[in-house]
Amino acid sequence: LKRCQISMDMHHIEKSFHRIKNTIQMKDVFQNVTILSASETLYNITPSDVCCMTKDVLGLYVDKVFRNHEESDPRIQRGLSTIANSFLHIRNALEQCKNQRNCDCQKEATEKFQIIVGNYEQMEVKAAAIKALGELDILLSWISRNYRPKATT
Amino acid sequence: DEVVNLPAPPDLSVHSTNMKHILTWSPVTIPGETVNYSVEYQGEYERYYTSSTWIPSSWCSSISTPECNVTDDITATVAYNFRVKATLGSQSSSWSTLKELFNRNSTVLTSPRMKISKDGYHLIVEFEDMGPYFEFNVTYWKKSPNSQKELYKIVREGGNLVHLETMEAGAEYCVKAQTIVEVIERSSTFNQVECIRAQDESPL
């Protein structure tokens, strides 16, 4: 991610998710199923594939996950809006970075992303969306690990 | 309820300084009545992906003053739209929206207020607490007729005393600083240079 030099407000995104996490995760009735399946996919991505995987996974969330979840509680709406707009900003910046050939996908990363998409599409649309929203803590901690803010003074 | 034609609140605009964003509009006045207002917002995501979605502002549902602090609503560096309607009893006006979308990367950044002091031979600097988005880029140097070597330090947050340098006896040191806001990738202009002289060597 460092090659793409993107400013990410990870602290604020994580804070927004933390506020709504319990409410979201309680709506997930398929506890023994996973979409991001962290151990097999995200957490053994090579550093050179991190950028492309981030772009693709954020794209999945922007294009499908947030859209397929209808929310009436303004508090949850606000939290999800912060995350969705932040993801949109980051994804758009990574797309530009890709155009400058700094964020290309290796075969292995593409295959791993397809595992995630496969997991998502196996579930009913609304259940998949709520499951993916509930797994945002997995995604956010993975992104934070790969985008280390500068050391504090 | 006497039917009153409630106009939509005009002149919506966002005033933003140092990442504090205030939405204002012109009041709707009905003689002898108190008109209330409700504010909603849309980020770029809502506009492109769920265009019918408007989100109630965090702090401004049914308020009576024609302004709203929307800092907690604008939480990403994308273009936002706002809409406001007036209500009087059971009657509501139509919504009015911004003429131009607002992105927080257009906020006005002022140079930071700074206090320098000394604790013995230690040069100390303190900044006002400007909120979670602000870091401070501090440049300082020892004044001398020939060379002037500038040193730099990034201070991650305001509101604390920060040790810059251990001064040489009798030497004068100068400091200037600017704010840095990483999430919008911008910084302010430098503030006024301030200088301070270290005490002379104390006689034994």
Side-chain angles (χ1 to χ4, degrees), chain A residues 11-27:
Chain A
H11 170 70
H12 204 101
I13 298 172
E14 285 166 333
K15 215 169 75 176
S16 294
F17 178 65
H18 191 71
R19 282 195 207 113
I20 62 174
K21 175 180 169 179
N22 292 338
T23 309
I24 291 279
Q25 289 182 344
M26 272 192 324
K27 295 180 180 183

Side-chain angles (χ1 to χ4, degrees), chain B residues 69-82:
Chain B
N69 186 332
V70 293
T71 303
D72 290 341
D73 298 329
I74 299 174
T75 50
T77 308
V78 295
Y80 280 79
N81 197 359
F82 286 89

Side-chain angles (χ1 to χ4, degrees), chain B residues 118-122 167-171 196-202:
Chain B
K118 55 188 177 185
D119 176 5
Y121 288 106
H122 296 298
M167 300 185 282
E168 291 169 21
I196 195 167
R197 182 179 298 279
Q199 63 200 42
D200 291 321
E201 210 135 19
S202 47

Side-chain angles (χ1 to χ4, degrees), chain A residues 13 21 23 27 33-34 39 70 142 147 153:
Chain A
I13 298 172
K21 175 180 169 179
T23 309
K27 295 180 180 183
V33 174
T34 173
S39 53
E70 284 164 24
W142 178 74
Y147 169 77
T153 297

Side-chain angles (χ1 to χ4, degrees), chain A residues 24-150:
Chain A
I24 291 279
Q25 289 182 344
M26 272 192 324
K27 295 180 180 183
D28 178 9
V29 297
F30 297 95
Q31 291 297 321
N32 50 3
V33 174
T34 173
I35 288 171
L36 293 183
S37 56
S39 53
E40 297 140 43
T41 53
L42 289 179
Y43 277 88
N44 51 29
I45 287 286
T46 59
S48 60
D49 284 336
V50 161
C51 180
C52 150
M53 183 58 107
T54 304
K55 176 178 67 64
D56 289 346
V57 175
L58 295 192
L60 173 67
Y61 274 79
V62 166
D63 295 331
K64 292 190 175 177
V65 175
F66 293 114
R67 270 178 130 162
N68 294 329
H69 176 70
E70 284 164 24
E71 184 56 58
S72 53
D73 177 342
R75 186 181 66 90
I76 307 291
Q77 269 187 323
R78 279 194 280 271
L80 292 177
S81 175
T82 293
I83 300 167
N85 281 287
S86 301
F87 278 12
L88 181 62
H89 173 66
I90 298 167
R91 197 276 303 264
N92 290 347
L94 291 178
E95 287 284 359
Q96 279 175 27
C97 194
K98 180 171 190 259
N99 299 338
Q100 293 142 20
R101 311 227 44 90
N102 279 323
C103 190
D104 289 334
C105 287
Q106 317 292 333
K107 179 170 176 289
E108 194 186 344
T110 304
E111 286 164 357
K112 286 196 165 102
F113 176 63
Q114 288 314 314
I115 291 172
I116 292 173
V117 173
N119 291 345
Y120 185 84
E121 289 177 347
Q122 269 177 31
M123 298 180 74
E124 182 271 331
V125 172
K126 289 195 185 308
I130 203 68
K131 163 70 65 182
L133 291 175
E135 292 189 342
L136 273 169
D137 46 2
I138 297 173
L139 177 58
L140 294 176
S141 64
W142 178 74
I143 293 176
S144 284
R145 274 158 57 109
N146 286 289
Y147 169 77
R148 197 153 308 282
K150 294 159 230 167

